[in-house]
């Protein structure tokens, strides 16, 4: 029925197919290459012990922190932009898929002239391009990979945002601890200053001792002001992550919560669940589909068009009451376009190779992040142990110097120096504690742990 008007159409297709296929190179396939890259990553599963957790949320058991994370996931403007980009990709996928369906157009026109009566015409046209080589299907598949890539990027943004909120929450606790230690330092210095002033008035001390004590006290007050401003800035930074206008700040716990160390599984397990690597892989797949479609642009194409048209003397009679139908079949093949199509195919293939190199770069960064976090966990544990031992000895030394100063065996400068060293070690130990807990969150993120809704 449709074949009868075009007896030579199939013969032309066969001839042009043979000519077109000789012009096509087979695109390079990359899935095996990506698998080989991951297989080269050394095993780190025995690097440090850890807990088998399923998500970033499981690292810290805190309902208050979970509420902050959920608030950020709902209101953070950067994350919402990423979500809207995902929805745009989904819309573009629907647009690309529409090319596989026929197009239907309806028209109505009227004409009037001085020498003839008015005429009216109505028409309906159906046009369709046969996806003979699955070219449209390839472009649709590429758009589908774009959606999958953006979905992975959205998941990566969610995970990173959750980790930032958790780290910022720990940083607030660390900043409050720093303020507490500085307040204790200042209180001690003020007590020393009062004691020295009493001794000076009694003729037992010197003016130099009093000046040194006052200088140390003034410096400690300045540092306390700095720490309080840092706390306020950290609170504003957290509220910005939550998508809120900064005000008085969020309430946090007084002490550090327990933060689990995530278990480092085999690289093939950890890396394959990282959303940034998943996104990079989908980018390769999308570029590969576009390469196949670009090569298929060199092949012939078939388009069909069916139309019915009616011309009458009145608008009602022109509404296809007695139409004339027509059927058009068209076979076209690119013969010479100055190398444009071939260059487009080469460009698409190079873009696929570029996407593969981007995947390699992402993989190297991912492996580096895991190795750095594992190494830092070991290093911070040893530093914590050494500083804790040093603090124990320093506190014993401080007690001895305080007793010796009261007995007049050491001067005020020696006592102030020992006191400063003691508080410095306390601050250093607390900072190491914060760094180690925050690093465990970074390690979980590097190992591909995501955030639960």
């Amino acid at each position: 029925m449709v074949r009868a008007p075009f007896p030579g159409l199939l013969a032309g297709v066969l001839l042009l197919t043979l000519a077109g296929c000789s012009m096509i190179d087979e695109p390079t396939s990359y899935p095996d290459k990506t698998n080989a890259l991951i297989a080269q990553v050394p095993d780190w599963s025995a690097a440090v012990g850890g807990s088998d957790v399923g998500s970033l949320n499981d690292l810290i058991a805190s309902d208050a922190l979970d509420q902050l994370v959920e608030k950020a996931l709902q209101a953070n403007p950067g994350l919402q932009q990423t979500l809207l980009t995902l929805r745009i990709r989904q819309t573009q996928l629907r647009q690309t898929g529409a090319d596989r369906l026929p197009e239907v157009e309806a028209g109505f026109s009227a004409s009037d002239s001085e020498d003839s009566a008015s005429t009216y015409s109505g028409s309906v046209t159906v046009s369709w391009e046969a996806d003979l080589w699955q070219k449209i299907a390839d472009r649709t598949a590429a758009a589908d990979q774009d959606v999958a890539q953006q979905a992975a990027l959205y998941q990566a943004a969610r995970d990173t945002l959750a980790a930032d909120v958790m780290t910022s929450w720990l940083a607030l606790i660390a900043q409050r601890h720093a303020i507490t230690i500085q307040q204790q330092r200042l209180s001690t210095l003020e007590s020393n200053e009062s004691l020295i002033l009493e001794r000076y008035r009694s003729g037992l001390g010197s003016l130099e001792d009093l000046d040194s004590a006052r200088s140390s006290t003034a410096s400690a007050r300045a540092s306390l002001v700095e720490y309080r401003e840092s706390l306020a800035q950290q609170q504003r930074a957290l509220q910005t992550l939550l998508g809120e206008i900064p005000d008085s700040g969020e309430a946090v716990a007084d002490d550090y919560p327990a933060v689990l160390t995530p278990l480092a599984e085999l690289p093939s397990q950890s890396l394959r669940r990282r959303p940034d690597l998943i996104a990079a892989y989908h980018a390769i797949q999308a570029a590969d589909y576009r390469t196949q479609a670009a090569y298929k642009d060199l092949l012939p194409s078939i388009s069909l068009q069916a139309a019915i048209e009616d011309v009458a003397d009145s608008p009602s009679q022109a509404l296809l009451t007695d139409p004339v139908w027509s059927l058009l079949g068209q076979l076209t093949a690119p013969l010479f376009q100055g190398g444009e199509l071939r260059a487009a195919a080469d460009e698409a293939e190079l873009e696929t190779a570029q996407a593969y190199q981007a995947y390699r770069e992402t993989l190297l960064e991912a492996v580096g992040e895991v190795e750095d976090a594992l190494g830092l966990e070991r290093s911070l544990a040893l530093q914590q142990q050494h500083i804790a031992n040093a603090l124990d000895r320093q506190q014993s030394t401080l007690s001895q110097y305080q007793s010796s100063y009261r007995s007049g065996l050491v001067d005020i400068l020696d006592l102030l120096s020992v006191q400063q060293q003691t508080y410095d070690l306390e601050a250093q130990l607390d900072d190491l504690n914060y760094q180690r807990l925050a690093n465990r969150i970074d390690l979980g993120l590097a190992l591909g742990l995501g955030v639960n809704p």
Side-chain angles (χ1 to χ4, degrees), residues 396-407 410-411 413-416 418-419:
S396 176
T397 302
L398 176 60
S399 298
Q400 295 175 7
Y401 265 76
Q402 288 173 336
S403 177
S404 298
Y405 176 74
R406 295 188 186 98
S407 303
V410 296
D411 60 22
L413 294 179
D414 294 332
L415 177 60
L416 289 176
V418 173
Q419 287 175 339

Side-chain angles (χ1 to χ4, degrees), residues 196-197 200 204-214 412:
I196 294 170
L197 180 60
Y200 176 74
L204 300 177
S206 65
L207 183 61
E208 289 80 4
D209 292 344
L210 182 59
D211 289 339
S212 296
R214 286 174 173 173
I412 186 60

Side-chain angles (χ1 to χ4, degrees), residues 9 25-26 107 175 193 209 212 222 224 227 234 267 277 301 313-314 352 365 436 445 452:
L9 188 58
D25 298 332
E26 183 68 23
Q175 199 63 39
E193 183 180 338
D209 292 344
S212 296
L224 182 59
Y227 291 162
Q234 187 65 43
L277 272 176
S301 61
D313 296 332
S314 66
T352 306
E365 291 176 354
R436 191 177 182 188
L445 193 64
N452 287 330

Side-chain angles (χ1 to χ4, degrees), residues 22-54:
S22 63
M23 301 162 58
I24 294 181
D25 298 332
E26 183 68 23
T28 305
S29 179
Y30 289 95
D32 293 338
K33 289 187 176 182
T34 58
N35 292 332
L37 285 176
I38 294 180
Q40 296 174 12
V41 179
D43 185 12
W44 56 52
S45 57
V48 294
S51 303
D52 188 10
V53 295

Side-chain angles (χ1 to χ4, degrees), residues 174 256 380 425-436:
Y256 294 116
L380 290 173
L425 285 174
E426 288 183 5
Q428 186 177 359
L429 181 60
D430 190 82
D431 183 63
L432 286 173
N433 194 12
Y434 159 70
Q435 290 186 44
R436 191 177 182 188

Side-chain angles (χ1 to χ4, degrees), residues 130-240:
D131 195 12
L132 188 62
W133 317 110
Q134 297 296 303
K135 178 174 59 176
I136 299 176
D138 286 339
R139 289 196 166 94
T140 303
D144 187 59
Q145 292 296 321
D146 289 338
V147 172
Q149 177 192 7
Q150 191 59 41
L153 292 176
Y154 173 63
Q155 182 62 48
R158 281 172 51 89
D159 298 343
T160 302
L161 176 60
D164 288 344
V165 171
M166 296 167 70
T167 303
S168 182
W169 193 69
L170 292 175
L172 280 177
I173 300 175
Q175 199 63 39
R176 288 187 173 181
H177 285 190
I179 291 175
T180 300
I181 294 173
Q182 190 63 21
Q183 287 173 333
Q184 294 172 352
R185 186 199 302 260
L186 178 59
S187 177
T188 300
L189 291 173
E190 289 175 341
S191 297
N192 288 341
E193 183 180 338
S194 299
L195 178 61
I196 294 170
L197 180 60
E198 290 178 4
R199 290 171 61 88
Y200 176 74
R201 289 173 177 172
S202 302
L204 300 177
S206 65
L207 183 61
E208 289 80 4
D209 292 344
L210 182 59
D211 289 339
S212 296
R214 286 174 173 173
S215 175
S216 298
T217 303
S219 177
R221 289 195 182 101
S223 297
L224 182 59
V225 173
E226 178 186 359
Y227 291 162
R228 284 172 174 166
E229 176 57 28
S230 297
L231 174 62
Q233 292 179 2
Q234 187 65 43
Q235 289 174 328
R236 290 192 289 268
L238 176 58
Q239 288 188 294
T240 300

